Every structure is written in structure tokens, then in C-alpha cells.
Amino acid sequence: MAEPTDRPASREPIDFTVETLGPCTVDSPLAPRLQARRTTQHYIEETDRVLFDDTLSKVSRREGDLEDLPSLEPTGPRKKIFFDPSKTRVGIVTCGGLCPGINNVIRGLVSELTTHYGVRRIYGFKNGYQGFVPRYGHDVVDLTPESVSGIDGEGGTILGTSRGQQDAAEVVDCLERMGISVLFVIGGDGTMRGAQKISAEIKARDLKIAVVGIPKTIDNDIPFIDQSFGFQSAFSEASRSIRSAKVEARTAPNGVSIVKLMGRHSGFIACYAALAQNDADFVLIPEVPFTLDGPGGFLQRLREKVATQGHALVVAAEGAGQELFDPADAAASLKDASGNKRLQDVGRLLRQAITDDFAAHDLELNMRYIDPSYVIRSVPANPYDAVYCIRLAHAAVHAAMAGRTNMVVGRWRRRFVHIPIALAVSDRNQVDPHGDLWWSVLEATGQPWSFGDFAAEQVTAFGGQ
């Protein structure tokens, strides 16, 4: 379970208000099943709320009455809905990088819409937001329970994907032409920013089209969500590479294996994969800077580990060590199609630095380098993520049919909730260097809090290491 974004309680209120298209006046097909349900440990009534804070100290720092405490709207079916299912047309689009479980979400959406709400017209837009724009010429796919049967056993997405934003006006033009009432968007933070722009354009035209997001990222860096779908599958697959790297390192004299994993700004995959396999000697993540050279630096610690153990295994998130590169380097200013800053290659840096350092100390070195980045994101969802995906899909359908819009579904403190898109893209979930997760990594690896110059700043915070 990835640690939730843990912001300190403040006096500034957090606006968890979810936009709606209007009053719900249509009887839900699920209403008869809801009559006897009441809030319990495992279910929340639609009129109840989920508290944002989960400790007494956080609650005590809030001002106002009980009803003023920050809280989120629960997911789930409503007795009254906004859309008439028999007249509702739905669109589904997948954008951004691949992630385990996308097909599970697609199948869950189609199944819930058809089986329980009776929606008969569901369209899949091909290759991300490009699928809405005429100049790309991408076809539209009719999605039925039969056409999505079995896709949850496959990695990737049957709808294809692409990176980069498209003109929100062109997207809404397409929705109007096709008479789409509900759009489900599956993607990461860049995709959700695009969905936010689409929602704004819909609102500016005074249209009644719901936009609901199911956020995905194997980096697990979306705030206000306990965990992104596909994350568990990704770090489970990554742990296989760590196991192989350990075998390679320990079967060669002075063997050093480096495993570079995804994690641009958040080191969750590196942390969880390392804990799952528990073979890593060092874990390097973006949230904890380090130095290579000098007393207590990474290279010295690595040499000491190899000297005492005979080998070493290093797990590095792709965004680790960016502070070691020259910001004036031309490569540092490049961006990808989604507008993200291109990272410098920490894997190449570590390989060269370790090679040079061992040579300078006249030490034998047998290095192995493994980068399973694309492998871990293209696998099918594991059973845990498969369950999580279908529950997110159900929650998204219930929200959209009830006229909620400009929002995403997620889980907070193990409760499924509605979250405004504005909040979901407002920040980045990261590993807390003072939190329980990083503490567990340090305990498992035995590595110091940090290395070199940065270690001196942290030494007293972690028992004198």
C-alpha cells in the first residue's frame, strides 16, 4: 500500500466540491438495491462524507465545527441519476504511457454501463486525444460486452494511446457531433489536465456532458489518492529484475548490478520493488539527493559494501541523482511530447562513475546493468490490480450517470471517493524522506539516510547513521 500524500493540516480549506451537471431526476435502475443500505465500516451512504484527516492531531488543528472538517464525497450508485440510460451515448479514451490494468478498466466500464444501466451505445476513441481530431483520421470503435471479453488478460490498451495535448475545442466539437453525453478519460496527470480543459470548454458552451477520469500512473504520484491502479503489478514485475540482478552480482568477483526503474519524480516503484525482493544494498530515489564522491559519498559506500560482501546491488529510480548533472547542459532543457522535462540518464552516470572509481582504486569490477522500464508497464494487471481496476470502473460509471463531472475517482484512506480534477493535478505524491516507507527501505538495505554532503544534514534524524 503506497503511502498517501501526507500534507500537514493547515488553516487553509481544501475545496473538495465536485461539479455536477444539474439535479438528478431519473430513477436509477439500481435504486431498488439501495433501499436497505446504510453506512457501515464497508459502505458509505451517498449523503455521508469521508473525512480527509485520519489522526486526532490533524483534526484538532482544524478550525470550525464538525461539519466544517474537510471531507470527500463517497463513490457508489445513487438512487436518482442525471442521465436517462436509454438515451445516453458514452465515449472512452486512453492516453499517455502504458500501465497494467487499462484494459481491465475499459472492460469494467463497458460491463457496468451495459449490464446495470442499460446503456447501449459506447464508443472507444483510438490513440488518445488524437482520436477526436479529424486530421488524424483514427477510427471509432464500438464497445460491447462481447468485444471487450477477455481483454483484461492482456497488457496495454485495446484503444491505443498517444502523448501530447490536443485542442479542447476540437475534442468537444467531436463529442457534440457524435451526441456523446459521458466521456471517460483514462490517463496520468497530463491527461487529466487535458480532461480539465475539455470540461472547461463544455461548461463554456453550456453543454450537459460529463467528464470523469480514472487516473493511472505506475509512478503512483497522483495526490489525494492512496494508490494508482497498475502500481502493484508494475513493482511486482520490477522485483523479478531485482532478483535476477542479485544472481548476476553475487556470481561474479566484485559483482555490481544496477537496476534502473521508472519513477521520474517519485521513487515508489524503486522502494516497493526493493522491499518486495529485499535483495538491494542501495536504493536511490528522486526525493533523497546524494553525492557520488568524497567521504561518505555513494561511491565510497559502494566500495565498502563490495569489499565486505563481495558484491552489491543498486536500485535506482530514473529521476534519482538529477542534482548531479549540470543544469546548463542543453539536454536538461529538452521536453517530451507531453511537455515533461526530459530526465538526464542516471543509469549511464552511475555506470561510468562506478567504472572510473573502481579503476582509480585498482579494483576488479564485473558490472551488470538492467533497465526493465517498458517491461514493467506493459504486463497484464495482477489479481490485486484487476480487482482495484474493476472497482474504479464501477465507481466512475456511478459518478458519471449521476451527473458528476470534471472529477476523478480514487481511493483515500481505503475509501473510494470523488476528487475534483483540479486537486488531482495540483501537486505530486512523493516518498516522504521522513516517512515510514523510506524508513523501511533504510532498515531493509542498511544504507545510510543519504550520502556525502547530504548525509550530514540528516544524520541525527536517523539514529546517527
Side-chain angles (χ1 to χ4, degrees):
M1 175 72 157
E3 53 189 11
T5 306
D6 204 7
R7 299 173 181 76
S10 67
R11 296 178 184 274
E12 293 297 323
I14 305 174
D15 187 4
F16 289 112
T17 305
V18 174
E19 291 183 31
T20 63
L21 296 176
C24 294
T25 58
V26 179
D27 290 331
S28 170
L30 299 175
R33 301 185 183 188
L34 303 177
Q35 299 303 327
R37 300 187 78 179
R38 299 289 182 271
T39 294
T40 68
Q41 181 182 352
H42 306 290
Y43 170 73
I44 305 173
E45 287 185 88
E46 61 181 88
T47 55
D48 206 343
R49 305 280 296 184
V50 176
L51 289 179
F52 175 66
D53 297 318
D54 68 341
T55 65
L56 185 61
S57 61
K58 288 182 180 179
V59 173
S60 64
R61 289 199 295 269
R62 300 287 184 184
E63 294 182 344
D65 298 326
L66 183 62
E67 59 269 19
D68 297 323
L69 291 175
S71 60
L72 299 91
E73 184 177 58
T75 64
R78 269 53 180 168
K79 297 181 180 70
K80 294 282 188 178
I81 57 178
F82 181 81
F83 291 106
D84 178 351
S86 66
K87 301 174 179 61
T88 299
R89 295 184 180 182
V90 172
I92 301 174
V93 64
T94 60
C95 308
L98 296 182
C99 175
I102 298 177
N103 282 334
N104 302 67
V105 174
I106 294 172
R107 185 179 183 185
L109 293 171
V110 173
S111 176
E112 183 69 18
L113 285 163
T114 56
T115 303
H116 296 292
Y117 283 96
V119 175
R120 294 186 291 272
R121 289 162 291 188
I122 306 171
Y123 306 105
F125 291 88
K126 298 283 287 184
N127 299 324
Y129 287 136
Q130 291 183 5
F132 297 95
V133 181
R135 70 175 178 275
Y136 291 103
H138 297 314
D139 195 8
V140 177
V141 180
D142 288 318
L143 296 176
T144 65
E146 294 73 25
S147 68
V148 300
S149 177
I151 66 170
D152 42 355
E154 305 171 8
T157 164
I158 62 166
L159 296 179
T161 184
S162 65
R163 292 187 180 274
Q165 298 292 328
Q166 302 297 329
D167 185 356
E170 288 190 89
V171 175
V172 178
D173 287 344
C174 178
L175 297 177
E176 280 199 275
R177 283 194 300 269
M178 295 185 63
I180 301 293
S181 304
V182 173
L183 175 64
F184 293 106
V185 179
I186 306 169
D189 57 350
T191 301
M192 293 307 146
R193 289 189 180 93
Q196 191 177 23
K197 293 177 181 177
I198 294 169
S199 295
E201 179 67 20
I202 289 170
K203 190 173 183 178
R205 299 188 190 187
D206 197 26
L207 301 174
K208 300 300 183 183
I209 303 174
V211 178
V212 174
I214 303 96
K216 62 104 184 112
T217 164
I218 62 170
D219 287 355
N220 195 47
D221 59 358
I222 298 176
F224 299 100
I225 291 177
D226 288 347
Q227 187 179 109
S228 305
F229 79 79
F231 170 69
Q232 288 215 6
S233 303
F235 84 71
S236 297
E237 186 67 22
S239 69
R240 297 173 183 268
S241 296
I242 293 176
R243 181 170 61 247
S244 299
K246 181 70 172 182
V247 172
E248 290 286 346
R250 72 185 180 200
T251 52
N254 282 13
V256 174
S257 287
I258 302 172
V259 180
K260 189 179 82 168
L261 299 175
M262 286 189 166
R264 293 179 54 82
H265 304 287
S266 303
F268 287 109
I269 289 181
C271 288
Y272 273 84
L275 289 173
Q277 191 56 39
N278 199 17
D279 279 330
D281 298 299
F282 301 97
V283 177
L284 307 176
I285 61 174
E287 296 88 338
V288 181
F290 66 95
T291 58
L292 289 172
D293 303 305
F298 170 74
L299 293 174
Q300 177 188 326
R301 298 281 190 174
L302 178 64
R303 275 186 278 110
E304 292 171 351
K305 175 61 71 173
V306 173
T308 58
Q309 185 175 265
H311 64 274
L313 170 57
V314 181
V315 175
E318 62 179 322
Q322 295 300 301
E323 66 279 354
L324 302 174
F325 295 93
D326 183 359
D329 191 322
S333 62
L334 297 177
K335 294 187 177 181
D336 62 21
S338 298
N340 300 312
K341 178 182 175 182
R342 288 191 182 277
L343 297 176
Q344 302 275 44
D345 190 347
V346 69
R348 179 185 300 174
L349 174 72
L350 289 173
R351 280 180 289 170
Q352 190 62 55
I354 294 169
T355 299
D356 293 346
D357 184 69
F358 272 62
H361 289 83
D362 198 24
L363 295 172
E364 180 180 4
L365 173 66
N366 285 284
M367 183 181 292
R368 305 290 186 267
Y369 180 73
I370 300 174
D371 181 354
S373 297
Y374 292 102
V375 173
I376 70 172
R377 73 178 196 174
S378 59
V379 297
N382 67 14
Y384 179 94
D385 271 325
V387 173
Y388 189 31
C389 288
I390 197 168
R391 296 189 70 186
L392 287 171
H394 294 171
V397 170
H398 297 319
M401 295 304 294
R404 303 304 193 269
T405 189
N406 197 19
M407 56 146 283
V408 302
V409 291
R411 193 177 59 193
W412 180 251
R413 312 297 187 196
R414 303 196 67 81
R415 301 281 197 179
F416 287 86
V417 294
H418 299 159
I419 305 160
I421 291 181
L423 288 182
V425 300
S426 65
D427 202 352
R428 181 175 286 113
N429 192 22
Q430 293 184 298
V431 176
D432 181 357
H434 299 278
D436 290 343
L437 176 59
W438 186 238
W439 185 282
S440 291
V441 172
L442 298 181
E443 290 181 314
T445 62
Q447 71 185 67
W449 185 285
S450 189
F451 301 95
D453 297 338
F454 295 102
E457 302 172 11
Q458 307 288 355
V459 69
T460 57
F462 194 69
Q465 286 197 72

